[in-house]
Amino acid sequence: MNLTPDPGHVRLALHGGAGDPPPDADGRAQREALRAIAVQAHALLVAGGSALDAVTLAVERLEECPLFNAGVGAVLNRDGRPELDAAVMDGRVRACGAVAGLARVKSPVRLARAILERTPHVFFAGAGAEALARELGLEMVEPDHFITDARRRQLAQARKAGAITLDHDHESAGDRPRDDDAAFGTVGAVARDARGHLAAATSTGGLTNKLPGRVGDSAVIGAGTFADDHSCAVSCTGTGEAFIRAGFGLAVHARLSWCGWDLDRACAEALHAVRRYGGRGGCIAVDRDGQLALPFNARSMYRAWVGADGRVHTASRPQDAD
Amino acid sequence: MNLTPDPGHVRLALHGGAGDPPPDADGRAQREALRAIAVQAHALLVAGGSALDAVTLAVERLEECPLFNAGVGAVLNRDGRPELDAAVMDGRVRACGAVAGLARVKSPVRLARAILERTPHVFFAGAGAEALARELGLEMVEPDHFITDARRRQLAQARKAGAITLDHDHESAGDRPRDDDAAFGTVGAVARDARGHLAAATSTGGLTNKLPGRVGDSAVIGAGTFADDHSCAVSCTGTGEAFIRAGFGLAVHARLSWCGWDLDRACAEALHAVRRYGGRGGCIAVDRDGQLALPFNARSMYRAWVGADGRVHTASRPQDAD
């Protein structure tokens, strides 16, 4: 990459999770929130800001919005606590940062970014990750900061239904994990900046009623989050276990880099693998030539994007873009 | 796969870490330990045991051996505590289990295996992972169980040298992480069983003097641990951050599956990428046809293997096999 800087190279896509919302949910509020955040991140890119800054900003804003399953409004684990995962990756040299199991760091994606820039490591989990956040001077909050009444109700329902519980009798591994519509809502962003550099970021509260300590694909570099200037930037949402088994981001990268496939075909194949491993969801992706792909195999995926026309579009169902 | 069962299909490789041991270290004790464990895992395979059982058994025995950086004898983090990571993957359907940040679970690889078989999730970290281990009835120990005098001395030396400390001034990401010879010692196993199924397992204490909460590549499915019957099984050792950025296991898989490359070439390319991302180390790998590859770019890698001749070999330097 390293093109001559040109706002015409700029591309952006955001997601606010994929799933099967009730038929009466029109997703208008989510789309408006995605639009406002896309406008802000797009302005940063057009002004010459980096793809890395744009995806970090977009995901931080999505974390602050209670409509999505990340940061404020994240789903709750079996113990009624939020446990937040996030990752960010810079396509220039594949520098990356990832975090898992946070309850006290205000912006998980900002901690991932700080790990990328200020430590010799790439991945931190649990209490050590929170201690690092304090040491790096990031803003800390109480776990209650993230909890909304809607998520408390959702957890109560999930507990009643027994969804995502341990299954001691289940020895065969082929059909795991269970499909759970409450699983969705992860947020993410991918961008291509005016110089042609790529970046991706993802942040999530994971699965409602998940076992404490469970880590999904968002924090797994190469699965739910991946970026390389030579190929593409990808951020996923859905049943994390299946995205990890599919090695989603790296599979798309390999098809582009080594097989000459286009982005649509590569994402479709990876999503097919997710289905084979018992999962559902979607992804947002941008390739080095500026092509966008936003496929999903659930009924809807909240999404916003800016393609070659330079305009912000949003959609939730397969065909309802504006 | 699913060949007609035949002990002739059996292949096995173990590693006990790669690095630059002092010139006077002959590695005899490590090689003898690897040999004894390889004999045991090979016998299991010849008797018709599964690749998944063989790699789990081998890694559990390596965790018990104080000569390696996994389980008993694991290196210590900045706070003087062990923090253990492990993963296991079944090539049949890519079922997998991974754990990070353990200090009280006697066998991290056994917990990874239990996650694979008995939960709907694939990855657990920190306190939640230890609570899960208790819930699943796994054997628990005090952190002191893992700590040896040699590791205490190593930590004191690393602290004195300031290795693997936070570098607040370091904003450029291209040359991270720092190379640290004390980093090496991770253990792993790959196997092909009499039916042609593949599996991989890895277990590690990570980096001496690492920041608490740091997770390396061993627990990242698709990076340090990967298995798919259609291609290969891989277990890595070395500077974990660089193996994560390289997406080591999935890169080898993609080259075999989609480019028709042989295992040697695919592993060499992935190891070249590791070097590009500032890291060193090695891997053990077996492909679906029974080819073995055990490359490394450090001065030595403790290893044992059983190829088509059905005999157990061991080596540490590039050319000292017996």
Side-chain angles (χ1 to χ4, degrees):
Chain A
M1 299 304 90
N2 240 335
L3 305 170
T4 309
D6 176 352
H9 296 319
V10 165
R11 301 290 187 277
L12 177 70
L14 313 183
H15 70 75
D20 296 347
D24 60 336
D26 63 5
R28 194 175 300 176
Q30 285 86 351
R31 286 171 66 173
E32 281 315 301
L34 284 165
R35 176 182 297 278
I37 294 166
V39 165
Q40 203 179 349
H42 185 242
L44 184 153
L45 289 164
V46 168
S50 72
L52 186 60
D53 281 344
V55 298
T56 309
L57 173 74
V59 169
E60 185 181 21
R61 293 281 171 274
L62 289 163
E63 287 173 343
E64 290 164 353
C65 177
L67 294 168
F68 304 107
N69 175 18
V72 177
V75 301
L76 305 178
N77 71 12
R78 197 185 53 178
D79 297 347
R81 283 169 57 94
E83 283 193 315
L84 310 175
D85 303 342
V88 62
M89 192 158 184
D90 181 349
R92 286 176 300 176
V93 290
R94 289 203 196 180
C96 45
V99 290
L102 307 178
R104 295 171 186 278
V105 178
K106 191 181 178 197
S107 173
V109 76
R110 283 281 164 206
L111 177 56
R113 177 72 182 269
I115 288 166
L116 183 161
E117 289 181 333
R118 298 168 62 191
T119 82
H121 301 316
V122 306
F123 190 7
F124 284 83
E130 297 196 333
L132 176 70
R134 277 190 201 93
E135 200 168 325
L136 293 172
L138 297 191
E139 191 171 355
M140 307 300 290
V141 295
E142 288 302 306
D144 278 353
H145 171 80
F146 300 112
I147 303 178
T148 62
D149 288 341
R151 295 307 188 189
R152 282 206 181 90
R153 285 194 299 273
Q154 198 176 42
L155 175 63
Q157 283 162 5
R159 280 175 172 162
K160 217 165 143 186
I164 308 295
T165 51
L166 252 188
D167 181 355
H168 293 269
D169 302 320
H170 187 63
E171 293 291 326
S172 130
D175 56 353
R176 293 173 310 120
R178 296 187 190 176
D179 211 327
D180 174 18
D181 289 346
F184 304 105
T186 297
V187 306
V190 297
R192 180 177 185 252
D193 63 30
R195 287 181 166 77
H197 298 304
L198 305 179
T202 312
S203 185
T204 188
L207 305 172
T208 298
N209 204 26
K210 68 183 177 182
L211 290 168
R214 178 261 186 187
V215 182
D217 66 312
S218 304
V220 175
I221 296 294
T225 305
F226 185 78
D228 186 324
D229 274 7
H230 300 94
S231 57
C232 58
V234 182
S235 169
C236 300
T237 170
T239 332
E241 284 73 11
F243 283 79
I244 292 173
R245 289 165 75 186
F248 200 101
L250 275 162
V252 173
H253 158 78
R255 283 301 196 186
L256 265 59
S257 301
W258 299 335
C259 304
W261 284 24
D262 69 25
L263 192 66
D264 280 333
R265 187 177 174 200
C267 289
E269 182 193 52
L271 213 46
H272 185 77
V274 165
R275 174 59 90 186
R276 198 165 64 238
Y277 298 127
R280 288 186 315 143
C283 78
I284 53 173
V286 59
D287 72 14
R288 63 179 195 167
D289 299 321
Q291 292 300 310
L292 293 172
L294 302 90
F296 54 99
N297 59 15
R299 247 178 267 154
S300 83
M301 181 170 76
Y302 300 130
R303 57 203 191 278
W305 67 96
V306 181
D309 65 0
R311 289 182 47 230
V312 176
H313 304 268
T314 72
S316 58
R317 308 277 166 168
Q319 279 116 4
D320 62 355
D322 61 25
Chain B
M1 297 303 91
N2 239 337
L3 305 171
T4 310
D6 176 352
H9 297 317
V10 165
R11 300 290 186 277
L12 177 70
L14 313 183
H15 70 74
D20 296 347
D24 59 337
D26 63 5
R28 193 174 301 174
Q30 285 85 350
R31 286 171 65 174
E32 281 315 301
L34 283 165
R35 177 182 295 279
I37 293 167
V39 165
Q40 202 179 350
H42 185 244
L44 184 153
L45 289 164
V46 169
S50 72
L52 186 61
D53 281 345
V55 298
T56 310
L57 173 74
V59 169
E60 185 181 21
R61 293 280 172 274
L62 288 162
E63 287 172 342
E64 290 164 353
C65 176
L67 295 169
F68 304 107
N69 175 18
V72 177
V75 300
L76 305 178
N77 72 10
R78 197 185 53 178
D79 297 347
R81 285 169 57 95
E83 283 193 314
L84 309 176
D85 303 342
V88 62
M89 192 158 182
D90 181 350
R92 285 176 299 176
V93 289
R94 289 202 195 181
C96 44
V99 291
L102 307 178
R104 295 172 186 277
V105 178
K106 190 180 178 197
S107 173
V109 75
R110 283 280 163 205
L111 177 56
R113 176 72 184 268
I115 287 166
L116 184 161
E117 289 181 333
R118 297 169 60 190
T119 83
H121 301 316
V122 306
F123 191 6
F124 284 81
E130 297 197 333
L132 176 70
R134 277 189 202 94
E135 200 168 324
L136 294 172
L138 298 190
E139 192 171 355
M140 307 300 289
V141 295
E142 288 302 306
D144 278 353
H145 172 79
F146 300 112
I147 304 177
T148 62
D149 288 341
R151 295 306 188 189
R152 282 206 182 88
R153 284 195 299 274
Q154 197 176 42
L155 174 63
Q157 284 163 3
R159 281 174 171 163
K160 218 164 143 185
I164 310 291
T165 52
L166 252 187
D167 181 355
H168 294 270
D169 301 320
H170 186 64
E171 292 290 329
S172 130
D175 56 355
R176 295 173 310 118
R178 296 187 189 176
D179 210 328
D180 175 16
D181 290 343
F184 304 106
T186 297
V187 306
V190 296
R192 180 176 185 254
D193 64 30
R195 287 183 166 76
H197 297 304
L198 305 180
T202 313
S203 185
T204 189
L207 305 171
T208 298
N209 204 26
K210 67 183 175 183
L211 290 168
R214 177 262 186 187
V215 182
D217 65 311
S218 304
V220 176
I221 295 294
T225 306
F226 185 78
D228 186 324
D229 274 7
H230 299 94
S231 57
C232 58
V234 182
S235 169
C236 299
T237 169
T239 332
E241 283 72 11
F243 284 79
I244 291 174
R245 290 165 74 186
F248 200 101
L250 275 162
V252 173
H253 158 79
R255 282 302 196 186
L256 264 60
S257 301
W258 300 334
C259 305
W261 284 24
D262 68 26
L263 191 66
D264 280 332
R265 187 178 174 198
C267 290
E269 182 192 53
L271 212 46
H272 185 77
V274 165
R275 173 59 91 185
R276 198 165 64 237
Y277 297 127
R280 289 187 312 146
C283 78
I284 52 173
V286 59
D287 72 14
R288 64 179 193 167
D289 299 321
Q291 292 300 309
L292 292 173
L294 303 89
F296 54 100
N297 59 15
R299 246 177 267 152
S300 83
M301 182 170 78
Y302 300 130
R303 56 204 191 277
W305 68 96
V306 181
D309 65 0
R311 289 181 47 230
V312 176
H313 303 268
T314 72
S316 57
R317 308 277 166 167
Q319 279 115 6
D320 62 355
D322 61 23

